[in-house]
Coordinates of all heavy atoms in Angstrom, one line a residue:
M573 N -7.5 34.3 -50.4 CA -8.0 33.3 -49.5 C -9.3 33.8 -48.9 O -9.4 35.0 -48.5 CB -7.0 32.9 -48.4 CG -7.4 31.8 -47.6 SD -6.3 31.4 -46.2 CE -5.0 30.5 -47.1
L574 N -10.3 32.9 -48.7 CA -11.5 33.3 -48.2 C -11.5 33.4 -46.7 O -10.8 32.5 -46.0 CB -12.6 32.4 -48.6 CG -12.9 32.3 -50.1 CD1 -13.9 31.2 -50.4 CD2 -13.4 33.7 -50.6
A575 N -12.2 34.3 -46.1 CA -12.3 34.4 -44.6 C -13.2 33.3 -44.1 O -14.2 33.0 -44.8 CB -12.7 35.8 -44.2
P576 N -13.0 32.8 -42.9 CA -13.9 31.8 -42.4 C -15.2 32.4 -42.1 O -15.3 33.6 -41.8 CB -13.2 31.3 -41.1 CG -12.3 32.4 -40.7 CD -11.9 33.1 -42.0
P577 N -16.3 31.7 -42.2 CA -17.6 32.2 -41.9 C -17.8 32.6 -40.5 O -17.2 32.0 -39.6 CB -18.6 31.1 -42.3 CG -17.8 29.9 -42.2 CD -16.4 30.3 -42.5
L578 N -18.5 33.7 -40.2 CA -18.8 34.1 -38.8 C -19.9 33.2 -38.2 O -20.8 32.9 -38.9 CB -19.2 35.6 -38.8 CG -18.1 36.6 -39.2 CD1 -18.7 38.0 -39.3 CD2 -16.9 36.5 -38.3
L579 N -19.7 32.9 -37.0 CA -20.8 32.2 -36.3 C -21.9 33.2 -36.0 O -21.7 34.4 -35.7 CB -20.2 31.7 -34.9 CG -19.1 30.6 -35.1 CD1 -18.6 30.2 -33.7 CD2 -19.6 29.4 -35.8
V580 N -23.1 32.7 -36.1 CA -24.3 33.6 -35.9 C -25.1 33.0 -34.8 O -25.3 31.8 -34.7 CB -25.1 33.6 -37.2 CG1 -26.4 34.4 -37.0 CG2 -24.3 34.1 -38.4
S581 N -25.5 33.9 -33.9 CA -26.3 33.4 -32.7 C -27.8 33.2 -33.2 O -28.1 33.4 -34.3 CB -26.3 34.4 -31.6 OG -26.9 35.6 -32.0
A582 N -28.6 32.7 -32.3 CA -30.0 32.4 -32.6 C -30.8 33.6 -33.1 O -31.7 33.5 -33.9 CB -30.7 31.8 -31.4
D583 N -30.5 34.8 -32.7 CA -31.2 36.0 -33.1 C -30.6 36.6 -34.4 O -31.1 37.6 -34.9 CB -31.2 37.1 -32.0 CG -29.8 37.6 -31.6 OD1 -28.8 37.1 -32.2 OD2 -29.7 38.4 -30.7
G584 N -29.6 35.9 -35.0 CA -29.1 36.4 -36.2 C -27.9 37.3 -36.1 O -27.3 37.7 -37.1
A585 N -27.6 37.7 -34.9 CA -26.4 38.6 -34.8 C -25.1 37.8 -34.7 O -25.2 36.7 -34.2 CB -26.6 39.4 -33.5
P586 N -24.0 38.4 -35.2 CA -22.8 37.6 -35.1 C -22.4 37.3 -33.6 O -22.7 38.1 -32.8 CB -21.8 38.6 -35.7 CG -22.5 39.6 -36.5 CD -23.9 39.6 -35.9
A587 N -21.9 36.2 -33.4 CA -21.5 35.8 -32.1 C -20.3 36.6 -31.6 O -19.4 37.0 -32.4 CB -21.1 34.3 -32.0
G588 N -20.3 37.0 -30.4 CA -19.2 37.8 -29.8 C -17.9 37.0 -29.8 O -17.8 35.8 -29.7
E589 N -16.8 37.8 -29.7 CA -15.5 37.2 -29.6 C -14.8 37.6 -28.3 O -15.2 38.7 -27.8 CB -14.6 37.6 -30.8 CG -15.1 37.1 -32.1 CD -14.2 37.6 -33.2 OE1 -13.1 38.0 -33.0 OE2 -14.6 37.5 -34.4
G590 N -13.9 36.8 -27.8 CA -13.1 37.2 -26.6 C -13.7 36.8 -25.3 O -14.4 35.8 -25.3
F591 N -13.5 37.5 -24.3 CA -13.9 37.2 -22.9 C -15.4 37.2 -22.8 O -16.1 38.0 -23.3 CB -13.3 38.2 -22.0 CG -13.7 38.0 -20.5 CD1 -13.1 37.0 -19.8 CD2 -14.7 38.7 -19.9 CE1 -13.4 36.7 -18.5 CE2 -15.1 38.4 -18.6 CZ -14.4 37.5 -17.9
S592 N -15.9 36.2 -22.1 CA -17.3 36.0 -21.8 C -17.5 35.6 -20.4 O -16.9 34.6 -20.0 CB -18.0 35.0 -22.8 OG -19.3 34.7 -22.3
V593 N -18.3 36.3 -19.6 CA -18.5 35.9 -18.2 C -19.2 34.6 -18.1 O -18.9 33.8 -17.3 CB -19.3 37.0 -17.5 CG1 -19.7 36.6 -16.1 CG2 -18.6 38.3 -17.5
T594 N -20.1 34.3 -19.1 CA -20.8 33.1 -19.1 C -19.9 31.9 -19.3 O -19.9 30.9 -18.6 CB -21.9 33.1 -20.2 OG1 -22.8 34.2 -20.0 CG2 -22.7 31.8 -20.2
N595 N -19.0 32.1 -20.2 CA -18.0 31.0 -20.5 C -17.1 30.8 -19.3 O -16.7 29.7 -19.0 CB -17.2 31.3 -21.7 CG -18.0 31.1 -23.0 OD1 -19.0 30.5 -23.0 ND2 -17.5 31.7 -24.1
L596 N -16.7 31.9 -18.6 CA -15.8 31.8 -17.4 C -16.6 31.0 -16.3 O -16.0 30.1 -15.7 CB -15.4 33.1 -17.0 CG -14.6 33.2 -15.7 CD1 -13.3 32.5 -15.8 CD2 -14.4 34.6 -15.2
L597 N -17.8 31.3 -16.1 CA -18.6 30.6 -15.1 C -18.8 29.1 -15.5 O -18.7 28.3 -14.6 CB -20.0 31.3 -15.0 CG -20.0 32.7 -14.4 CD1 -21.4 33.3 -14.4 CD2 -19.4 32.7 -13.0
L598 N -18.9 28.8 -16.7 CA -19.1 27.4 -17.1 C -17.8 26.7 -16.8 O -17.8 25.5 -16.3 CB -19.4 27.3 -18.6 CG -20.8 27.7 -19.0 CD1 -21.0 27.7 -20.5 CD2 -21.8 26.7 -18.3
V599 N -16.6 27.3 -17.1 CA -15.3 26.6 -16.9 C -15.2 26.4 -15.4 O -14.7 25.4 -14.9 CB -14.2 27.5 -17.5 CG1 -12.8 27.0 -16.9 CG2 -14.2 27.4 -19.0
L600 N -15.5 27.4 -14.6 CA -15.4 27.3 -13.1 C -16.3 26.2 -12.6 O -15.9 25.5 -11.7 CB -15.7 28.7 -12.4 CG -14.6 29.8 -12.7 CD1 -15.1 31.1 -12.1 CD2 -13.3 29.3 -12.2
L601 N -17.5 26.1 -13.1 CA -18.4 25.1 -12.7 C -17.9 23.7 -13.0 O -18.0 22.8 -12.2 CB -19.8 25.3 -13.4 CG -20.9 24.3 -13.0 CD1 -21.2 24.4 -11.6 CD2 -22.1 24.5 -13.9
V602 N -17.4 23.5 -14.2 CA -16.8 22.2 -14.6 C -15.6 21.9 -13.6 O -15.5 20.8 -13.2 CB -16.4 22.2 -16.0 CG1 -15.5 21.0 -16.4 CG2 -17.6 22.3 -16.9
L603 N -14.8 22.9 -13.4 CA -13.6 22.6 -12.5 C -14.1 22.3 -11.1 O -13.5 21.4 -10.4 CB -12.7 23.8 -12.4 CG -11.8 23.9 -13.7 CD1 -11.0 25.3 -13.6 CD2 -10.8 22.8 -13.8
A604 N -15.2 23.0 -10.6 CA -15.7 22.7 -9.2 C -16.2 21.3 -9.1 O -16.2 20.7 -8.0 CB -16.8 23.7 -8.9
V605 N -16.7 20.7 -10.2 CA -17.2 19.3 -10.1 C -16.1 18.3 -10.4 O -15.9 17.3 -9.8 CB -18.4 19.2 -11.1 CG1 -18.8 17.7 -11.2 CG2 -19.5 20.0 -10.6
A606 N -15.3 18.6 -11.5 CA -14.4 17.6 -12.0 C -13.1 17.5 -11.1 O -12.7 16.3 -10.9 CB -13.9 18.0 -13.4
W607 N -12.6 18.5 -10.5 CA -11.4 18.4 -9.7 C -11.6 17.6 -8.5 O -10.8 16.7 -8.2 CB -10.9 19.8 -9.3 CG -9.6 19.8 -8.6 CD1 -9.4 19.9 -7.3 CD2 -8.3 19.5 -9.2 NE1 -8.1 19.8 -7.0 CE2 -7.4 19.5 -8.2 CE3 -7.9 19.3 -10.5 CZ2 -6.0 19.3 -8.4 CZ3 -6.6 19.0 -10.7 CH2 -5.6 19.1 -9.7
P608 N -12.6 17.8 -7.6 CA -12.8 16.9 -6.5 C -13.1 15.5 -6.9 O -12.6 14.5 -6.2 CB -14.0 17.5 -5.8 CG -14.1 18.9 -6.2 CD -13.6 18.9 -7.6
A609 N -13.8 15.3 -8.0 CA -14.0 13.9 -8.5 C -12.7 13.2 -8.9 O -12.5 12.1 -8.6 CB -15.0 13.9 -9.6
Y610 N -11.9 14.0 -9.5 CA -10.6 13.4 -9.9 C -9.7 13.1 -8.7 O -9.1 12.0 -8.7 CB -9.9 14.5 -10.8 CG -8.4 14.2 -11.1 CD1 -8.0 13.1 -11.9 CD2 -7.4 14.9 -10.4 CE1 -6.7 12.9 -12.1 CE2 -6.1 14.7 -10.6 CZ -5.7 13.6 -11.5 OH -4.4 13.4 -11.6
Q611 N -9.7 14.0 -7.7 CA -8.9 13.7 -6.5 C -9.4 12.5 -5.8 O -8.7 11.6 -5.3 CB -9.0 14.9 -5.6 CG -8.3 16.2 -6.1 CD -6.8 16.0 -6.2 OE1 -6.2 15.5 -5.3 NE2 -6.2 16.5 -7.2
W612 N -10.8 12.3 -5.7 CA -11.4 11.2 -5.0 C -11.0 9.9 -5.7 O -10.6 8.9 -5.1 CB -12.9 11.4 -4.9 CG -13.5 10.1 -4.4 CD1 -13.7 9.8 -3.1 CD2 -14.1 9.1 -5.2 NE1 -14.3 8.6 -3.0 CE2 -14.6 8.1 -4.3 CE3 -14.2 8.8 -6.5 CZ2 -15.2 6.9 -4.7 CZ3 -14.8 7.7 -7.0 CH2 -15.3 6.7 -6.1
L613 N -11.1 9.9 -7.1 CA -10.8 8.7 -7.9 C -9.4 8.4 -7.7 O -9.0 7.2 -7.5 CB -11.2 9.0 -9.3 CG -10.9 7.9 -10.3 CD1 -11.8 6.7 -10.0 CD2 -11.2 8.3 -11.7
R614 N -8.5 9.3 -7.8 CA -7.0 9.0 -7.6 C -6.7 8.4 -6.3 O -6.0 7.4 -6.2 CB -6.2 10.3 -7.9 CG -4.8 10.1 -8.0 CD -4.0 11.3 -8.3 NE -3.9 12.1 -7.1 CZ -3.4 13.3 -7.0 NH1 -2.9 13.9 -8.0 NH2 -3.3 13.9 -5.8
R615 N -7.3 9.0 -5.2 CA -7.0 8.5 -3.9 C -7.6 7.1 -3.7 O -6.9 6.2 -3.1 CB -7.6 9.4 -2.8 CG -6.8 10.6 -2.5 CD -7.3 11.3 -1.2 NE -8.8 11.6 -1.3 CZ -9.3 12.7 -1.7 NH1 -8.5 13.6 -2.2 NH2 -10.6 12.9 -1.8
T616 N -8.8 6.8 -4.2 CA -9.4 5.5 -4.1 C -8.6 4.5 -4.9 O -8.4 3.4 -4.3 CB -10.8 5.6 -4.7 OG1 -11.6 6.6 -3.9 CG2 -11.5 4.2 -4.5
L617 N -8.2 4.8 -6.1 CA -7.4 3.8 -6.9 C -6.1 3.5 -6.2 O -5.6 2.4 -6.2 CB -7.3 4.3 -8.3 CG -8.6 4.3 -9.1 CD1 -8.3 4.9 -10.5 CD2 -9.2 3.0 -9.2
S618 N -5.4 4.5 -5.7 CA -4.1 4.3 -5.1 C -4.3 3.5 -3.8 O -3.5 2.5 -3.6 CB -3.5 5.7 -4.7 OG -3.2 6.4 -5.8
R619 N -5.3 3.7 -3.0 CA -5.6 2.9 -1.8 C -5.8 1.5 -2.2 O -5.3 0.5 -1.6 CB -6.7 3.5 -1.0 CG -7.0 2.7 0.3 CD -8.1 3.4 1.1 NE -9.2 3.9 0.2 CZ -10.3 3.1 -0.2 NH1 -10.4 1.9 0.1 NH2 -11.2 3.7 -0.9
R620 N -6.7 1.2 -3.2 CA -7.0 -0.1 -3.6 C -5.8 -0.8 -4.1 O -5.6 -2.0 -3.9 CB -8.1 -0.1 -4.6 CG -9.5 0.2 -4.0 CD -10.5 0.2 -5.1 NE -11.8 0.6 -4.6 CZ -12.9 0.8 -5.3 NH1 -12.8 0.7 -6.6 NH2 -14.0 1.2 -4.8
R621 N -5.0 -0.1 -4.9 CA -3.7 -0.7 -5.4 C -2.8 -1.2 -4.3 O -2.3 -2.3 -4.3 CB -3.0 0.2 -6.4 CG -1.8 -0.4 -7.0 CD -1.1 0.6 -7.9 NE -0.6 1.7 -7.2 CZ -1.0 3.0 -7.3 NH1 -1.9 3.3 -8.2 NH2 -0.4 3.9 -6.6
R622 N -2.6 -0.3 -3.3 CA -1.7 -0.6 -2.2 C -2.3 -1.8 -1.4 O -1.6 -2.7 -1.0 CB -1.5 0.6 -1.3 CG -0.6 1.6 -1.9 CD -0.3 2.7 -0.9 NE -1.4 3.5 -0.4 CZ -1.9 4.6 -1.0 NH1 -1.3 5.1 -2.1 NH2 -2.9 5.2 -0.5
E623 N -3.7 -1.9 -1.2 CA -4.3 -3.0 -0.5 C -4.1 -4.3 -1.3 O -3.7 -5.3 -0.7 CB -5.8 -2.7 -0.3 CG -6.1 -1.7 0.7 CD -7.5 -1.3 0.7 OE1 -8.3 -1.8 -0.2 OE2 -7.9 -0.4 1.5
R624 N -4.2 -4.2 -2.6 CA -4.0 -5.4 -3.4 C -2.5 -5.9 -3.4 O -2.3 -7.1 -3.2 CB -4.4 -5.1 -4.9 CG -4.2 -6.3 -5.8 CD -4.7 -6.1 -7.2 NE -4.4 -4.8 -7.7 CZ -3.2 -4.5 -8.4 NH1 -2.3 -5.5 -8.6 NH2 -3.0 -3.3 -8.9
W625 N -1.6 -5.0 -3.4 CA -0.2 -5.3 -3.3 C 0.1 -6.0 -2.0 O 0.9 -6.9 -1.9 CB 0.7 -4.1 -3.6 CG 0.7 -3.6 -5.0 CD1 0.3 -4.2 -6.1 CD2 1.3 -2.4 -5.4 NE1 0.5 -3.5 -7.2 CE2 1.2 -2.3 -6.8 CE3 2.0 -1.3 -4.8 CZ2 1.7 -1.3 -7.6 CZ3 2.4 -0.3 -5.5 CH2 2.3 -0.2 -6.9
Q626 N -0.5 -5.5 -0.9 CA -0.3 -6.0 0.4 C -0.8 -7.4 0.5 O -0.2 -8.3 1.0 CB -0.8 -5.1 1.5 CG -0.4 -5.5 2.8 CD -0.7 -4.4 3.8 OE1 -1.5 -3.6 3.6 NE2 0.0 -4.4 4.9
R627 N -2.0 -7.6 -0.1 CA -2.6 -9.0 -0.1 C -1.8 -10.0 -0.9 O -1.7 -11.1 -0.5 CB -4.0 -9.0 -0.7 CG -5.1 -8.5 0.2 CD -6.5 -8.8 -0.4 NE -6.6 -8.5 -1.8 CZ -7.0 -7.4 -2.3 NH1 -7.3 -6.4 -1.5 NH2 -7.1 -7.2 -3.6
E628 N -1.2 -9.5 -2.0 CA -0.4 -10.4 -2.8 C 1.0 -10.5 -2.3 O 1.8 -11.2 -2.9 CB -0.4 -9.8 -4.3 CG -1.7 -9.9 -4.9 CD -1.7 -9.2 -6.3 OE1 -0.7 -8.6 -6.7 OE2 -2.8 -9.2 -7.0
G629 N 1.4 -9.9 -1.3 CA 2.7 -10.0 -0.7 C 3.8 -9.2 -1.4 O 4.9 -9.5 -1.3
L630 N 3.4 -8.3 -2.2 CA 4.4 -7.5 -2.9 C 5.0 -6.4 -2.1 O 6.0 -5.8 -2.5 CB 3.7 -6.9 -4.2 CG 3.2 -7.9 -5.2 CD1 2.4 -7.2 -6.3 CD2 4.3 -8.8 -5.7
I631 N 4.4 -6.1 -1.0 CA 4.9 -5.1 -0.1 C 5.0 -5.7 1.3 O 4.4 -6.7 1.6 CB 4.1 -3.8 0.0 CG1 2.7 -4.1 0.4 CG2 4.1 -3.1 -1.4 CD1 1.8 -2.8 0.6
E632 N 5.8 -5.1 2.2 CA 6.0 -5.6 3.5 C 4.7 -5.4 4.3 O 3.9 -4.6 4.0 CB 7.2 -4.8 4.2 CG 8.5 -5.0 3.5 CD 9.6 -4.2 4.0 OE1 9.4 -3.5 5.1 OE2 10.6 -4.1 3.4
E633 N 4.7 -6.0 5.5 CA 3.5 -6.0 6.3 C 3.1 -4.6 6.8 O 2.0 -4.2 7.0 CB 3.6 -6.9 7.5 CG 3.6 -8.4 7.1 CD 2.2 -8.8 6.5 OE1 1.2 -8.3 7.0 OE2 2.3 -9.6 5.6
D634 N 4.2 -3.8 7.1 CA 3.9 -2.5 7.6 C 3.4 -1.5 6.5 O 3.0 -0.4 6.8 CB 5.2 -1.9 8.3 CG 6.4 -1.8 7.4 OD1 6.3 -2.4 6.3 OD2 7.4 -1.2 7.8
G635 N 3.5 -1.9 5.3 CA 2.9 -1.1 4.2 C 3.8 0.0 3.8 O 5.0 0.0 4.1
F636 N 3.3 1.0 3.1 CA 4.0 2.1 2.6 C 4.1 3.2 3.6 O 3.2 3.4 4.4 CB 3.4 2.7 1.3 CG 3.6 1.8 0.1 CD1 2.6 1.1 -0.4 CD2 4.8 1.7 -0.5 CE1 2.8 0.3 -1.5 CE2 5.0 0.9 -1.6 CZ 4.0 0.2 -2.1
T637 N 5.1 4.0 3.5 CA 5.3 5.2 4.4 C 5.3 6.4 3.5 O 5.4 6.3 2.3 CB 6.6 5.1 5.2 OG1 7.7 5.2 4.3 CG2 6.6 3.9 6.1
R638 N 5.2 7.6 4.1 CA 5.3 8.8 3.3 C 6.6 8.9 2.5 O 6.7 9.5 1.5 CB 5.2 10.0 4.2 CG 3.8 10.1 5.0 CD 2.8 10.8 4.2 NE 1.6 11.0 4.9 CZ 0.5 10.3 4.7 NH1 0.5 9.4 3.9 NH2 -0.6 10.6 5.4
D639 N 7.7 8.3 3.1 CA 9.0 8.4 2.4 C 9.1 7.4 1.2 O 9.9 7.7 0.3 CB 10.1 8.0 3.4 CG 10.2 9.1 4.6 OD1 9.8 10.2 4.3 OD2 10.5 8.7 5.7
T640 N 8.4 6.3 1.2 CA 8.6 5.3 0.2 C 7.5 5.3 -0.9 O 7.6 4.6 -1.9 CB 8.7 3.9 0.8 OG1 7.5 3.6 1.5 CG2 9.9 3.8 1.7
D641 N 6.3 6.0 -0.6 CA 5.2 5.9 -1.6 C 5.0 7.3 -2.2 O 4.6 8.2 -1.5 CB 4.0 5.5 -0.8 CG 2.8 5.2 -1.8 OD1 2.9 5.5 -3.0 OD2 1.7 4.8 -1.3
P642 N 5.2 7.4 -3.5 CA 5.0 8.7 -4.1 C 3.5 9.2 -4.1 O 3.3 10.4 -4.1 CB 5.5 8.5 -5.6 CG 5.6 7.1 -5.8 CD 5.7 6.4 -4.4
D643 N 2.6 8.2 -4.1 CA 1.2 8.6 -4.0 C 0.9 9.3 -2.7 O 0.2 10.3 -2.6 CB 0.3 7.4 -4.1 CG 0.2 6.9 -5.6 OD1 0.5 7.7 -6.5 OD2 -0.1 5.7 -5.7
L644 N 1.4 8.8 -1.6 CA 1.2 9.4 -0.3 C 1.8 10.8 -0.2 O 1.2 11.7 0.3 CB 1.7 8.5 0.8 CG 0.9 7.2 1.0 CD1 1.6 6.4 2.1 CD2 -0.5 7.5 1.4
R645 N 3.0 10.9 -0.8 CA 3.7 12.2 -0.8 C 2.9 13.2 -1.6 O 2.7 14.4 -1.2 CB 5.1 12.1 -1.3 CG 6.1 11.5 -0.3 CD 7.5 11.8 -0.7 NE 7.8 11.4 -2.1 CZ 8.3 10.2 -2.5 NH1 8.5 9.3 -1.5 NH2 8.5 9.9 -3.7
R646 N 2.4 12.8 -2.8 CA 1.7 13.7 -3.7 C 0.4 14.1 -3.0 O 0.0 15.3 -3.1 CB 1.4 13.0 -5.0 CG 0.7 13.8 -6.0 CD 0.3 13.1 -7.2 NE -0.5 12.0 -6.9 CZ -0.4 10.8 -7.4 NH1 0.5 10.5 -8.3 NH2 -1.2 9.8 -7.0
D647 N -0.3 13.2 -2.3 CA -1.6 13.6 -1.7 C -1.3 14.6 -0.6 O -2.1 15.5 -0.4 CB -2.2 12.3 -1.0 CG -2.8 11.4 -2.1 OD1 -3.0 11.9 -3.3 OD2 -3.1 10.3 -1.8
D648 N -0.2 14.5 0.1 CA 0.2 15.5 1.1 C 0.4 16.9 0.5 O 0.0 17.9 1.0 CB 1.4 15.1 1.9 CG 1.1 14.0 2.9 OD1 -0.1 13.8 3.2 OD2 2.0 13.4 3.4
E649 N 1.1 16.9 -0.6 CA 1.4 18.1 -1.3 C 0.2 18.8 -1.9 O 0.1 20.0 -1.9 CB 2.4 17.9 -2.4 CG 3.8 17.4 -2.0 CD 4.7 16.9 -3.1 OE1 4.2 16.9 -4.3 OE2 5.8 16.5 -2.8
T650 N -0.8 18.0 -2.3 CA -2.0 18.7 -2.8 C -2.9 19.3 -1.8 O -3.8 20.1 -2.1 CB -2.8 17.7 -3.7 OG1 -3.2 16.6 -2.8 CG2 -2.0 17.2 -4.9
H651 N -2.7 18.9 -0.5 CA -3.6 19.4 0.5 C -2.9 20.5 1.3 O -3.4 20.9 2.4 CB -3.9 18.3 1.5 CG -4.8 17.3 0.9 ND1 -4.4 16.0 0.4 CD2 -6.2 17.3 0.6 CE1 -5.4 15.4 -0.1 NE2 -6.5 16.1 0.0
L652 N -1.9 21.1 0.8 CA -1.2 22.2 1.4 C -2.0 23.5 1.4 O -2.8 23.8 0.6 CB 0.2 22.5 0.8 CG 1.2 21.4 1.0 CD1 2.5 21.8 0.3 CD2 1.5 21.2 2.5

C-alpha cells in the first residue's frame, strides 16, 4: 500500500506534525468569539420563545420559574 503524500509548506519543507502553538492560539481565538456568541444567541432565542408563548396564552401569566423552565436552570448552571 502506498503511503499518503506529505503536505509541503510554501518554502518546500514538509509540514510539521503534532502540537503547534499557532494552531492552539487559533482554536482559543475561535472559542473566545464563538462561545459568547452562542450563549447570547441561546439566551435571546429562549427569551423570545417564552415571550411568544406568553402572548399566545400557552403559559400562565406569572411565566416560567427556575423550577419549571429548563432554559432558566441551564443558564444559571452555566454562570457558576
Side-chain angles (χ1 to χ4, degrees):
M573 186 183 281
L574 297 174
L578 295 176
L579 297 176
V580 178
S581 64
D583 63 359
E589 296 180 15
F591 179 78
S592 167
V593 174
T594 304
N595 288 341
L596 176 63
L597 292 175
L598 287 173
V599 168
L600 292 176
L601 178 65
V602 168
L603 283 175
V605 172
W607 186 258
Y610 167 73
Q611 294 290 321
W612 173 83
L613 181 63
R614 192 177 75 185
R615 280 192 309 270
T616 302
L617 293 176
S618 293
R619 180 178 39 86
R620 288 180 182 171
R621 183 181 65 246
R622 286 189 297 270
E623 290 170 355
R624 180 174 44 87
W625 286 351
Q626 193 165 20
R627 279 193 317 270
E628 293 173 356
L630 298 175
I631 60 174
E632 298 174 9
E633 289 299 321
D634 58 351
F636 286 108
T637 65
R638 298 270 188 258
D639 295 329
T640 60
D641 186 357
D643 288 333
L644 293 174
R645 284 195 309 267
R646 182 184 58 221
D647 289 343
D648 285 345
E649 292 168 2
T650 59
H651 291 103
L652 293 178

